Amino acid sequence: MAIDTIWKNARACGAGAPVDIAVAGGRIAGVGPGLTASEAEVVDCGGRLVTPAFIDCHSHIVHGGDRTAEFEMRLEGASYEQIARAGGGIVETMRATRALDADGLVAAALPRVDALLAEGVSTIEVKSGYGLAIEPELDMLRAARRIESLRPVRIRTSWLAAHAMPPDAAGDKADYIRDVAIAGLNAAVAEGLVDAVDAFCEGLAFSPGEIEPLFARAAALGLPVRLHTEQLTRSGGALLAARYGALSVDHFEHAAPEDIAAIAASGSVAVLLPGAFYMLRMTQAPPVAALRAAGVPMALATDCNPGSSPISSLLLTLNMGAVLFGMTVRECLDGVTGNAARALGLREETGRLAPGLSADFTLWDAERPAELVGRAGLNPIHRRVFRGMPDG
Ligand code: DI6
Ligand code: FE
């Protein structure tokens, strides 16, 4: 295919000399010094830093309402679990989410989406999980899909009906998994709404045994799984996730050595979420050194949600990954590019500057990668390119 554009004189992380990026039909045709093509438009990047466009691989960005009242309650001493058990928490957001239709959910989400795009994000994973009944869960993923037609962004969806027990559930947790999480999954798949299946494996949510039938159904449908697990307590969910070859295990603060060994063997990505750790003022950080030693790929994501992580900044998340979790600059940036792509099953589509992949990259008014991680509150973006098309 003919080269459309050559982005000349950009500085890639780790590369000494500036490189050029050739784009054809929205995909990267070549990366290297001195590229030329007679017909191509040439854009001079002026020696700016270039990264693959960022990927937020774990978000609950589609939801209704606001829970800053609970934030204030926590400041006064209530715990996240106490608020949840008293009928607040996820169930509070369920009420606000059910009050909106898919268009209302899109409108509520767009300011948060725009905040991410303004920081060079081009792929966002969006979960259901605040409808907690079939129709409102479907509406959340319909809204997620709709965002893709309204903004230059790639959306990947996860079916997270197994997020919490709704107060109006007819039976016990096993019944809810069968009648809502699995029955709704079948309907959502029929509508083309689902890219992966997720669940919240936690004392106050669902146990590995309760989640297993849902994962079995996902496997039968050919869908990848991922799991919120070992966040507030050790639930044993990582072992379940590893048995199902999960794309990722997410949170992972309370992981035990056998959990790390299991996900190292299954090839799952550990998606670390420092926003929730920070907002909940947790003290046990995920075992980054052990993950590193075991060769487990680590990703970083916002976990953007109204309760435990009301954060719409991936740049701030990079900074927290470094300061709170002890990740290196390189690990932080891999965590929102290549490893985040892997957590979404998109390794051959985005997240790297390599021929054949989607031309998704961001130019920064920065000289060193550390400038994107080691500062907070300053967004040095110059230009974002998605599928070969620059913003603006
Ligand atoms: N991700 C989640 O899904 C839960 N915690 C987390 O980090 C709960 C989100 C919420 O409080 O609404
Ligand atoms: Fe989450």
Side-chain angles (χ1 to χ4, degrees):
M1 190 179 285
I3 307 293
D4 314 308
T5 313
I6 299 182
W7 297 81
K8 292 203 83 69
N9 190 22
R11 203 177 301 272
C13 298
V19 295
D20 304 337
I21 302 169
V23 176
R27 305 196 81 84
I28 297 172
V31 182
L35 301 184
T36 54
S38 51
E39 304 291 291
E41 181 190 350
V42 173
V43 184
D44 185 4
C45 301
R48 290 185 178 85
L49 184 71
V50 62
T51 63
F54 288 172
I55 299 166
D56 191 359
C57 69
H58 178 141
S59 96
H60 310 252
I61 208 161
V62 168
H63 61 261
D66 164 83
R67 303 224 306 271
T68 43
E70 291 181 6
F71 173 73
E72 290 198 88
M73 287 164 72
R74 291 203 306 277
L75 293 179
E76 283 154 21
S79 76
Y80 181 80
E81 287 94 332
Q82 280 166 349
I83 293 168
R85 292 190 194 282
I90 292 170
V91 168
E92 173 68 23
T93 300
M94 176 203 79
R95 289 187 277 269
T97 298
R98 286 186 182 177
L100 298 175
D101 62 10
D103 284 332
L105 290 169
V106 169
L110 281 179
R112 298 185 280 267
V113 169
D114 288 339
L116 289 178
L117 299 194
E119 292 186 339
V121 172
S122 78
T123 302
I124 306 174
E125 185 261 10
V126 181
K127 302 172 193 298
S128 73
Y130 291 117
L132 307 182
I134 292 177
E135 261 312 304
E137 285 286 309
L138 295 175
D139 268 344
M140 288 186 70
L141 295 192
R142 290 175 186 132
R145 288 278 193 246
R146 223 164 275 178
I147 289 168
E148 206 166 45
S149 64
L150 296 171
R151 291 292 188 274
V153 66
R154 179 186 295 102
I155 300 288
R156 299 295 281 183
T157 59
S158 298
W159 176 256
L160 179 61
H163 195 195
M165 275 295 272
D168 56 358
D172 63 11
K173 288 184 180 179
D175 296 328
Y176 176 81
I177 293 289
R178 186 189 62 233
D179 298 338
V180 178
I182 294 176
L185 173 62
N186 294 333
V189 168
E191 223 180 292
L193 294 173
V194 186
D195 299 322
V197 173
D198 195 351
F200 191 19
C201 190
E202 189 58 60
L204 51 85
F206 298 94
S207 68
E210 286 155 354
I211 292 164
E212 174 133 27
L214 172 66
F215 276 13
R217 182 65 192 142
L221 289 165
L223 286 169
V225 300
R226 51 190 304 174
L227 193 61
H228 286 73
T229 194
E230 328 305 349
Q231 180 191 7
L232 306 170
T233 54
R234 178 165 187 268
S235 66
L239 299 178
L240 170 73
R243 270 201 287 121
Y244 279 83
L247 284 174
S248 70
V249 291
D250 300 51
H251 288 291
F252 222 52
E253 279 85 348
H254 289 83
E258 65 179 300
D259 302 328
I260 297 167
I263 66 157
S266 65
S268 310
V269 176
V271 176
L272 308 181
L273 304 164
F277 175 90
Y278 166 75
M279 280 287 174
L280 298 182
R281 295 199 286 193
M282 291 168 64
T283 52
Q284 185 165 331
V288 164
L291 290 167
R292 189 185 285 140
V296 173
M298 293 180 276
L300 282 171
T302 61
D303 197 14
C304 177
N305 77 62
S308 62
S309 190
I311 289 178
S312 310
S313 171
L314 205 50
L315 285 172
L316 177 58
T317 302
L318 289 175
N319 180 258
M320 292 191 292
V323 174
L324 301 176
F325 290 174
M327 295 167 73
T328 65
V329 166
R330 175 71 190 267
E331 285 170 339
C332 288
L333 289 172
D334 286 349
V336 296
T337 55
N339 288 343
R342 201 165 149 168
L344 298 180
L346 291 174
R347 223 184 110 68
E348 301 307 323
E349 183 60 22
T350 191
R352 289 175 296 140
L353 298 176
L357 273 69
S358 182
D360 305 339
F361 51 88
T362 305
L363 296 165
W364 304 93
D365 282 314
E367 289 176 20
R368 305 176 63 242
E371 293 173 50
L372 305 182
V373 178
R375 304 188 296 207
L378 185 73
N379 178 1
I381 196 167
H382 173 67
R383 215 161 181 199
R384 191 189 73 124
V385 178
F386 176 60
R387 293 183 171 143
M389 298 287 291
D391 284 342

